[in-house]
Amino acid sequence: MTPTRPDNEAAPGPAGECPAPPRTGHWQLCAEFDSAEALHHAVLQVRDAGAREYEVCSPVLTHESLEAHMPRAGSRLHYISAFGGITGVSVGLAMCVLSSLLYGLWTGGKPPVNLVPFVVVGFECTILFAALFTVAGLVYFARLKPLAPPPDYRPGFSNDRYGLYVQCEPARKPAVAELLRAAGATEVIDCDAA
Amino acid sequence: MDPEFIARWLPWLRRILGTSGALLGVAGVAVLVGMRLHPGPTQPIPFSHRLHAELKGISCLFCHSEVDRSAHPGMPPVEKCLLCHNVIIPEFEPIQVLHQAKREGKGVPWNRVNVVPDFVFFNHQIHVARGFDCGQCHGDIRNMDRVKQEHRFTMGFCVDCHKANQGPTNCQACHR
Amino acid sequence: MATAEKETVIYAKINEEVIQSLERPTWRYWLLIGSLLGVIGLGALAYFYQVMVGMGVANINHPVGWGVYIVNFVFWVGIAHSGTLISAILYLFRVRWRTAIYRAAEAMTVFAVMTAGLFPLIHLGRVWVMYWLLPYPNTRHLWPNFKSPLVWDVVAVTTYFTVSFLFFYLGLIPDIAAVRDRSTGLRRQIYGALALGWQNRYEQWRHYARAYVALACLATPLVISVHSVVSWDFAMSILPGWHTTIFPPYFVAGAIHSGLAMVITLLVPIRVWLRLQRLVTLEHFENMAKMLIFTGLIMTYSYATEAFTSYYSGNHFETSFSTWRATGTYAPLFWGMVVCNCLAPMLLFWKRVRTSIPWLLAISIAINIGMWLERFVLIVTSTAHDFLPSSWGTYTPSPVEIIITIASFAWFAFLFLLFAKHLPAVAISEMKEQVAE
């Protein structure tokens, strides 16, 4: 649990850096908003108040303008895709070359290792592995598992509500809740009670 | 899924999967052991290759006389059996089956032991001509009473030997 | 969509509109499902008859070894292509109108590949050894021949199915979560499991966005490669009519042509049935119609080029084959194909035609028929009329083949019906995103 910093020097990490996100269920307050602007405004307020860890829920893909104000930005998933692609092309070509060397039935006067036709298999394997690695990476990074969302999740977040989760010291809860309300939250929920 | 839902159904899922997995495993092992231990198909006459080929030292070619000049090894006609068995234990009950077959003008309905898939054209003649012993494919027939198929004639079995002995490995050699 | 309203109000409306289409189905739905299952059962019976009796019950024989089964395979793989075009390529090009229809198009892709994948197996004489096609160390000491276009085809279609399924499912995750949050009881448990615990969190969205773009980038070259590989099944041989370099682009264009027509054919009834008229509008149909004109023109150009190449080659076999194709036994099919694929889409040049749903439906069905005929003409005529006059012959599908073909359409419709009733047929979160922009 990261305590709320009193000062404002808790600058978010540089864009692109993504350490593991805090475990869910570790939020103290959850505020509901009814527009993206209100949410954006509240995020700025919370950040300026010195919060280091906060999380946003949105029924749509979060807007790029918000990313700059979040603790973590971007994603490294594409490296995993690229790694998958390289694995794929290696596996595809290796499968063709090794299998025709090890199990070579020399037929039709053709050389056993013939790269031109193997390019097709190599290409398809590149795509296949890259896609599988991407999805596996997403499952890992976004912590996807076939379980119900935690109790402090609000069903409105998949419909028409925006949410802002904040970590803070228990003592500061009322003050932060007040700040959230002032920033335009339609509702503020105590996550520990949810 | 909600945790209560999972807690309610997970034991059942475990039970079902566990039971069916165990059953499948046991069945699989039983099939494999059975295939290994199976003594080969029963025959209308309990003919013993050990007695004829090992103890009495009769050549394979005496009975399977077409093996060096035909695709098929040739099963001996009833007359060839009776050549000896007219005088050797003619009253033995299984030999009576031969007499019966002779009287009816039929062959003995032997059951097939060695199976090669129908899309493989195997020719005994060339293999015998190249000097391969029957045992290379058929196993130690001389010491079998009831004959069983020693090797499964998978393509790997054929191709390994073809490669080791510079046999043809083009598709057309066996698949036509 | 009215812009005066606050965006979250529109969000709620979109949510409501899509999720209402998943309400408890009526008896009509069950009747439809039942009759489709009946037709599929009939096809299964025909197929088991073929397995029991042998390939003789299909009319494929010398000289035409590739009949209706392969025609159906190429047809269904082709249908699959426009789904990825709409979902991936148009996404990368930031085409806004794709949003309302891409989910249905993607579902169509997945189900069309699932239909297509059956046909190589149906075409196999010994289906029980179909695992011989898989690359694994085996007792045959023989691996698939990676130099063969048929093996490329297995690799390409398997990859295509996997990637388009992943793409389809990835898009569905936030929407299934939306359905989960609106349902109770067992439904909630099932959608909850399918939604993979999606919470609409920023920490999820930022990786999700990257994954979606990555998959779109991967699917784009894939979609072009798959039908190229399918075309090499033919173009790599030496038969007149098959052995030509125009095949890959020609097949890809044809695939998209047929796929777009199929999207229209499916969306017209679905949008009325699910009451999605406010989300899937006439504008979407008009845009697809415009793309149909484009692909129709490519098809016309390809047909012309094909004829011209064979004439200009001066090769006697090529010229006589092209002449026979246009005038011989299969001439009615050939000209039917030209009318359906080249002339019918030209009617869409008139705005009156392309903004009229009945016309659009009629034309898209005509294109579907035309594209099926094209595959039939391509595949059957070349083998029926090769180099040696002594080996010329003809082919007509047998009852078993016809029943299996009809059943394949029922199978496709069955899967699509299940999708439309049980999964959000319009991309909820992306529709909202478009409102937000």
Side-chain angles (χ1 to χ4, degrees), chain A residues 6-114:
Chain A
D7 50 21
N8 203 8
E9 59 182 51
E17 187 193 320
C18 47
R23 280 174 43 219
T24 52
H26 281 228
W27 309 107
Q28 273 69 50
L29 287 170
C30 166
E32 257 191 32
F33 297 89
D34 63 353
S35 78
E37 292 77 40
L39 173 77
H40 196 165
H41 178 64
V43 166
L44 292 180
Q45 297 257 311
V46 165
R47 189 198 57 173
D48 292 342
R52 258 184 80 185
E53 280 302 346
Y54 45 90
E55 169 73 302
V56 158
C57 276
S58 156
V60 300
L61 192 61
T62 29
H63 204 268
E64 282 158 19
S65 60
L66 195 65
E67 282 207 345
H69 310 303
M70 294 300 290
R72 281 163 294 274
S75 167
R76 284 188 180 171
L77 196 56
H78 53 285
Y79 290 111
I80 296 196
S81 312
F83 178 70
I86 294 167
T87 314
V89 74
S90 321
V91 168
L93 289 180
M95 179 171 72
C96 296
V97 172
L98 293 180
S99 71
S100 33
L101 284 177
L102 290 174
Y103 296 88
L105 288 180
W106 293 29
T107 57
K110 292 171 195 148
V113 176
N114 200 342

Side-chain angles (χ1 to χ4, degrees), chain A residues 18 21 24 34-36 55-62 67 70 72-75 77-78 81 95-96 99 103 105 111-112 114 117-118 120-121 123-124 127-128 130-132 134-135 138 141-142 144-147 149-150 153 155 157-160 162, chain C residues 6-8 11-12 15 135 137 141-143 146-147 152 155-156 158-159 162-163 166 170 173 177-178 180-182 188 192-193 196-211 214-215 218 221-222 225-226 229 232 429 432-433 436:
Chain A
C18 47
T24 52
D34 63 353
S35 78
E55 169 73 302
V56 158
C57 276
S58 156
V60 300
L61 192 61
T62 29
E67 282 207 345
M70 294 300 290
R72 281 163 294 274
S75 167
L77 196 56
H78 53 285
S81 312
M95 179 171 72
C96 296
S99 71
Y103 296 88
L105 288 180
N114 200 342
F118 294 170
V120 179
V121 181
F123 171 80
E124 301 295 344
I127 303 280
L128 179 65
L132 290 173
T134 307
V135 171
L138 175 70
F141 279 155
L144 298 182
K145 47 193 170 305
L147 300 177
Y153 172 76
F157 296 158
S158 68
N159 185 1
D160 57 350
Y162 293 87
Chain C
K6 202 174 170 188
E7 67 189 33
T8 42
Y11 285 4
N15 222 50
H141 288 198
L142 189 66
W143 279 54
F146 291 112
K147 289 162 211 149
W152 302 347
V155 182
T158 317
T159 302
T162 314
V163 174
L166 290 176
L170 193 66
I173 289 175
R180 172 198 66 196
D181 294 342
R182 291 275 304 256
R188 187 184 160 77
L196 295 177
W198 184 260
Q199 297 164 45
N200 295 288
R201 288 165 49 213
Y202 167 75
E203 285 295 332
Q204 295 177 320
W205 277 118
R206 66 187 175 112
H207 297 297
Y208 179 89
R210 192 58 57 89
L215 279 191
L218 290 170
L222 179 66
S225 84
V226 172
V229 169
W232 288 331
S429 77
K432 292 177 184 168
E433 203 181 312

